[in-house]
Amino acid sequence: MPDKKQDLRETENLKQQDLKRNKENGDGQFMTTDQGLKINDDQNSLKAGERGPSLLEDFILREKITHFDHERIPERIVHARGSAAHGYFQVYKSMEKYTKAGFLQDPNIKTPVFVRFSTVAGFRGSTDLARDVRGFAVKFYTQEGNYDLVGNNVPVFFIQDAMKFPDLIHAVKPEPHNEIPQAASAHDTFWDFISLMPESMHMIMWAMSDRAIPRSYRMMEGFGVHTFRFINRKNESFFVKFHWKPKLGTHAVVWDEAVKISGADADFHRRDLWEAIDSGMFPEWELGVQIIPEADEHKFDFDLLDPTKLVPEETVPVTIIGKMVLDRNPDNFFAETEQVAFHPAHLVPGIDLTNDPLLQGRLFSYTDTQLSRLGSPNFHEIPINRPIAPLHNNQRDGHMRQEINTGRVSYHPNSLGGGCPYQAKIAEGGFHSFNERIDAQKIRDRSESFSDHFSQATLFYNSQTPVEQNHIINALRFELGKVATVAIRKRTVGLLSQIDATLAAKVAESLGFPVEAPKKPMNHGVPADASKEKYEPKSKKQSVSSSPALSMLKNKTITPTIASRHVGFLCTDGVDGKSLNALKTALEKEGAVAKIVATHNGSIQTSEGRELKVDHSFLTSSSVLFDALFIPAGKKSIDALKNDPTVFEFLNDAYKHCKVIGADGEGIEILELTNFYNLLSKQESPNNGIILNAKDDSTDFSTNFIDALGRHRIWEREKLK
Ligand code: HDD
């Protein structure tokens, strides 16, 4: 018997070793057909004479064109636009008290993972910066089989029952008559549906908040959303909510910035993830769990099975149990990121499902969708989906079968195969669904415990800082402003009035009508024969009225860091090398990245005569692609910048987007030519995020700049407006 623990330790990189089997590289090799025939001429088709027609006989041409014609597979019906990376997960200490899941037992084990982040509504080629929820799907390649945690960056969902998922997605996708708009919820069909379904209001608050426009995938929280179960060796069950907490903190961009990033770099999040990993700045998250004993199931102000509710961290704290590091980019986007297939029912012993009706429907949808997207029940054989745990069963054949099952037996029980493959006892790791007791009538209905649609929407709104609340108000003004049907706008504002009166009033004011009390019934997602009253939203007093953990700005659990932040250095020939290097060195010491953005590409000469490589020209870059800007000293450089209107565009945007702006020596003269600077007190102040080095003290200047950058954005500026 091999040492099981030793086996588990070897999981590190086991997935990479497994993938190696399928890797191909043409370096130093002859070009061949798919049959291995060496190709002599890949330039010309076979013809009847040099100027004659091509011949059907040309099997090489036909093979090449046929393969090309079939290169595309259907994109995911939701979450089509995504980006992924490899890494590992490591638990901090054994979770055996709560779960027997093998990968949550031994802190020495690194379990390989593949993580795919995505937007929901946009097509595969849509912009990364759409206002949207982000998918956060993690595949753990454990020794006990693949475990998938298929979550989002928002802890709740729009709807309570999977029955409504196709309606929700039809409503948000581009409208069917003209396929407009792409990757946007700001249109009539989405808000029509939402305004008739009050259960969506909590998630709407999240979707209209800055959570829906993250700064990067690396700076997003992740949530399992549903309540799941942990099961321990004693067969005791605990309810569990999963949380991913990013080491870099949870940060967003502002809406105007998101719109501009979509133009300047539609791959902004994809590129950010790729470049961070490529340069060794490996993104990290900690896994947190909220554990609820079975006996406490009914002790909450809401139903644990309702996916439109979260468990406030003030009620049940999040215990951090491990970390996940993404340290390797995929080799091939299609083979890995596109073909990876997640499924909430990819479970391991020790983790189980609950009766959440949204989750229950998902259990069907994910296999079904892979069948149409990947084309065969053998999708588990695609290298990225293949478990590292041994796989033996009597499933056979089908399109593109890779496995060559030997022997005569493909059924169980059998005697001809000695009864193999044999079933595993629970003690041997056999999966065993939790024996939940259910005494019920078959019924197509919804529990009344799911009917409080507004209290947690209010909790979320109340937990935000005034700046965050303003962003929600403006997002709603924008989205509803894009809705042409006035009745839909009014109906939505009516629902908003049930969350917060001021919120509704501010949105209504911008839309040009007064708030009207919502018309009853508010809920239109009602069965034909049901009592409308039964389905009407009912509010229940909540024990928590504000939860700082729900605010990105109040949540101070993460130490501010500037690691991996990009600072644009605006300069050109004649820049003062000393001034440039002082801040560059200080930033790099903290793990940030300095990028030289100049009037031209290639290189620039410092005033000391040194040559510096330019990272971007003003033409190929944009203010919105940086976290902060710096104008180094150097008279010649500054004189040239003064004549370039793009420099002022950079600065105005950075100011508007509440970013830190630093200037050294003559660099301050550029700021003096801007409106915003002249409207300010002209004082350097970390509070307004304008950091100046007028006194030639580069140490102080660097410290102030770094401190201000560590605050992510200078939100005070929004109040100054
Ligand atoms: Fe889903 C993909 C997350 C509800 C049906 N979903 C998908 C992905 C994520 C989620 C992250 C992308 C996985 C990847 O990167 O390949 N979905 C969620 C969450 C939900 C949720 C957090 C609610 C809590 N989903 C949900 C419902 C249904 C689906 C209720 C259907 C009844 N989801 C799908 C799907 C997708 C999918 C159609 C499309 C591509 C895929 O599965 O593989 O089956």
Side-chain angles (χ1 to χ4, degrees):
M1 224 11 205
D3 174 1
K4 184 146 187 269
K5 211 159 176 195
Q6 189 53 37
D7 266 354
L8 289 174
R9 291 236 167 89
E10 284 167 12
T11 56
E12 186 177 359
N13 289 328
L14 266 189
K15 188 60 198 171
Q16 289 310 318
Q17 289 167 26
D18 172 65
L19 288 174
K20 263 196 201 129
R21 286 203 259 155
N22 295 84
K23 289 193 184 170
E24 183 276 339
N25 190 307
D27 270 5
Q29 305 293 325
F30 285 117
M31 180 187 286
T32 71
T33 65
D34 281 346
Q35 304 306 316
L37 176 71
K38 285 180 194 152
I39 290 177
N40 168 260
D41 181 351
D42 185 46
Q43 318 306 321
N44 300 296
S45 54
L46 193 66
K47 299 179 194 78
E50 270 174 11
R51 301 181 58 250
S54 297
L55 297 177
L56 186 62
E57 179 194 322
D58 192 350
F59 60 92
I60 299 181
L61 172 75
R62 277 190 287 120
E63 181 195 85
K64 186 171 177 178
I65 302 284
T66 305
H67 199 282
F68 171 74
D69 289 343
H70 295 263
E71 273 175 11
R72 291 288 171 271
I73 61 171
E75 66 174 34
R76 289 167 174 82
I77 176 77
V78 282
H79 298 267
R81 169 87 187 164
S83 217
H86 293 276
Y88 65 87
F89 172 80
Q90 211 169 2
V91 74
Y92 289 146
K93 69 175 203 237
S94 173
M95 293 299 291
E96 66 178 342
K97 186 172 166 204
Y98 304 106
T99 172
K100 60 185 176 188
F103 76 106
L104 296 178
Q105 305 300 315
D106 185 346
N108 294 312
I109 296 169
K110 287 183 177 176
T111 301
V113 297
F114 190 63
V115 182
R116 185 172 179 273
F117 304 104
S118 48
T119 51
V120 180
F123 292 1
R124 218 186 117 180
S126 55
T127 172
D128 280 346
L129 263 289
R131 171 174 295 285
D132 201 350
V133 175
R134 298 299 185 284
F136 193 128
V138 182
K139 189 179 284 296
F140 298 80
Y141 301 95
T142 89
Q143 281 285 307
E144 299 174 299
N146 289 351
Y147 168 57
D148 292 355
L149 185 51
V150 197
N152 280 338
N153 76 328
V154 166
V156 289
F157 205 64
F158 289 108
I159 46 166
Q160 296 174 322
D161 194 307
M163 192 74 150
K164 300 314 294 169
F165 191 68
D167 302 270
L168 167 74
I169 301 305
H170 286 172
V172 72
K173 283 270 182 182
E175 299 193 7
H177 58 310
N178 56 11
E179 209 171 75
I180 297 175
Q182 182 53 243
S185 52
H187 59 111
D188 285 48
T189 56
F190 178 69
W191 287 99
D192 186 25
F193 178 77
I194 292 299
S195 66
L196 299 169
M197 295 283 288
E199 71 201 51
S200 62
M201 280 299 119
H202 185 195
M203 176 92 159
I204 282 292
M205 287 293 103
W206 286 81
M208 294 300 116
S209 80
D210 291 349
R211 300 260 182 176
I213 40 172
R215 161 64 182 81
S216 80
Y217 290 139
R218 303 177 293 129
M219 297 167 198
M220 299 188 319
E221 281 184 285
F223 304 90
V225 182
H226 312 282
T227 303
F228 291 93
R229 280 180 189 276
F230 269 164
I231 319 280
N232 66 15
R233 287 205 179 280
K234 290 188 248 165
N235 204 29
E236 290 163 332
S237 163
F238 300 83
F239 292 109
V240 59
K241 290 269 189 191
F242 292 107
H243 296 244
W244 291 109
K245 304 262 183 195
K247 270 295 185 53
L248 295 173
T250 311
H251 299 292
V253 299
V254 294
W255 176 242
D256 180 67
E257 200 184 352
V259 171
K260 289 175 177 163
I261 293 174
S262 292
D265 184 5
D267 304 303
F268 189 65
H269 286 157
R270 177 176 285 190
R271 193 185 308 283
D272 170 273
L273 182 67
W274 182 276
E275 286 181 353
I277 295 174
D278 207 38
S279 63
M281 288 186 272
F282 301 142
E284 245 182 87
W285 285 260
E286 288 193 304
L287 180 63
V289 287
Q290 286 173 297
I291 293 178
I292 299 153
E294 240 214 313
D296 292 352
E297 177 174 4
H298 301 292
K299 288 195 180 154
F300 297 90
D301 316 315
F302 50 87
D303 196 323
L304 279 180
L305 301 183
D306 174 358
T308 66
K309 304 296 182 296
L310 52 84
V311 179
E313 294 189 24
E314 290 67 22
T315 316
V316 181
V318 174
T319 312
I320 298 297
I321 66 165
K323 70 166 179 181
M324 177 169 77
V325 180
L326 298 184
D327 58 3
R328 191 187 165 94
N329 280 316
D331 286 300
N332 183 288
F333 188 92
F334 179 83
E336 301 174 77
T337 309
E338 196 57 18
Q339 293 201 109
V340 67
F342 293 92
H343 196 322
H346 290 168
L347 295 174
V348 288
I351 304 182
D352 209 344
L353 309 163
T354 59
N355 302 330
D356 171 342
L358 192 72
L359 175 58
Q360 292 285 317
R362 293 180 75 191
L363 303 178
F364 166 74
S365 183
Y366 288 71
T367 318
D368 191 44
T369 206
Q370 311 311 348
L371 290 176
S372 92
R373 194 170 73 82
L374 300 170
S376 152
N378 291 317
F379 66 84
H380 64 282
E381 292 187 339
I382 295 172
I384 194 67
N385 295 325
R386 172 168 77 201
I388 56 169
L391 186 166
H392 304 285
N393 59 36
N394 294 313
Q395 266 111 254
R396 290 290 185 274
D397 309 347
H399 279 292
M400 297 293 170
R401 183 68 170 180
Q402 310 287 302
E403 205 89 274
I404 303 172
N405 303 103
T406 59
R408 321 161 60 178
V409 165
S410 55
Y411 52 88
H412 194 272
N414 66 67
S415 66
L416 295 178
C420 295
Y422 46 87
Q423 302 165 107
K425 294 190 175 134
I426 298 172
E428 292 170 324
F431 182 80
H432 174 72
S433 292
F434 182 67
N435 289 147
E436 183 184 357
R437 186 186 176 92
I438 298 178
D439 293 310
Q441 276 182 318
K442 194 193 287 180
I443 185 165
R444 196 185 279 281
D445 206 347
R446 204 168 291 202
S447 167
E448 280 209 71
S449 57
F450 278 39
S451 63
D452 182 355
H453 302 322
F454 300 118
S455 299
Q456 286 210 347
T458 307
L459 169 66
F460 180 78
Y461 186 72
N462 284 348
S463 303
Q464 307 301 306
T465 61
V467 168
E468 290 168 306
Q469 288 184 338
N470 248 339
H471 291 181
I472 294 173
I473 292 164
N474 282 333
L476 285 162
R477 286 169 167 171
F478 173 85
E479 296 266 322
L480 293 173
K482 292 275 186 179
V483 168
T485 313
V486 176
I488 297 176
R489 293 180 177 179
K490 289 191 169 167
R491 206 158 53 220
T492 311
V493 170
L495 293 184
L496 295 177
S497 72
Q498 302 303 292
I499 299 171
D500 185 272
T502 319
L503 160 75
K506 286 190 172 174
V507 175
E509 181 198 11
S510 152
L511 295 171
F513 54 74
V515 180
E516 284 169 29
K519 286 207 181 72
K520 299 238 169 128
M522 279 184 251
N523 191 357
H524 294 257
V526 180
D529 278 330
S531 123
K532 299 241 178 332
E533 185 42 41
K534 180 187 164 200
Y535 270 74
E536 277 300 270
K538 304 190 180 56
S539 70
K540 196 163 173 194
K541 192 163 165 28
Q542 302 288 298
S543 48
V544 174
S545 58
S546 174
S547 168
L550 303 182
S551 152
M552 289 193 285
L553 303 185
K554 281 189 208 158
N555 193 341
K556 294 281 180 252
T557 48
I558 292 143
T559 335
T561 168
I562 64 160
S564 82
R565 294 308 184 117
H566 281 213
V567 181
F569 282 39
L570 308 184
C571 52
T572 191
D573 297 293
V575 64
D576 180 337
K578 242 176 55 217
S579 158
L580 185 146
N581 273 324
L583 185 63
K584 185 169 187 282
T585 314
L587 287 171
E588 285 170 356
K589 227 172 106 198
E590 300 291 323
V593 183
K595 293 277 183 194
I596 295 185
V597 190
T599 48
H600 58 84
N601 268 311
S603 57
I604 53 172
Q605 286 248 327
T606 67
S607 54
E608 298 91 343
R610 241 173 21 94
E611 198 142 299
L612 283 180
K613 192 182 151 296
V614 170
D615 294 298
H616 306 281
S617 73
F618 289 136
L619 185 67
T620 61
S621 190
S622 166
S623 178
V624 290
L625 305 179
F626 298 98
D627 294 289
L629 295 179
F630 170 53
I631 316 168
K635 185 164 172 6
K636 196 170 149 219
S637 166
I638 297 302
D639 285 345
L641 295 194
K642 278 181 192 166
N643 288 319
D644 195 330
T646 323
V647 173
F648 297 96
E649 238 173 78
F650 265 72
L651 293 169
N652 284 330
D653 264 355
Y655 182 78
K656 183 174 176 193
H657 302 147
C658 302
K659 292 175 183 171
V660 174
I661 299 172
D664 184 14
E666 294 96 348
I668 299 170
E669 293 170 24
I670 301 259
L671 285 184
E672 284 167 350
L673 296 173
T674 65
N675 253 348
F676 66 79
Y677 182 77
N678 288 315
L679 292 175
L680 284 173
S681 60
K682 295 194 182 179
Q683 294 293 306
E684 68 176 290
S685 152
N687 277 344
N688 64 27
I690 308 293
I691 315 292
L692 307 179
N693 187 16
K695 297 182 214 112
D696 202 14
D697 180 352
S698 63
T699 316
D700 237 29
F701 169 70
S702 298
T703 312
N704 289 341
F705 189 94
I706 288 167
D707 284 352
L709 182 55
R711 290 163 58 204
H712 178 61
R713 293 298 162 90
I714 311 302
W715 298 118
E716 284 80 356
R717 247 184 239 163
E718 290 203 347
K719 283 186 233 149
L720 296 176
K721 276 181 205 160

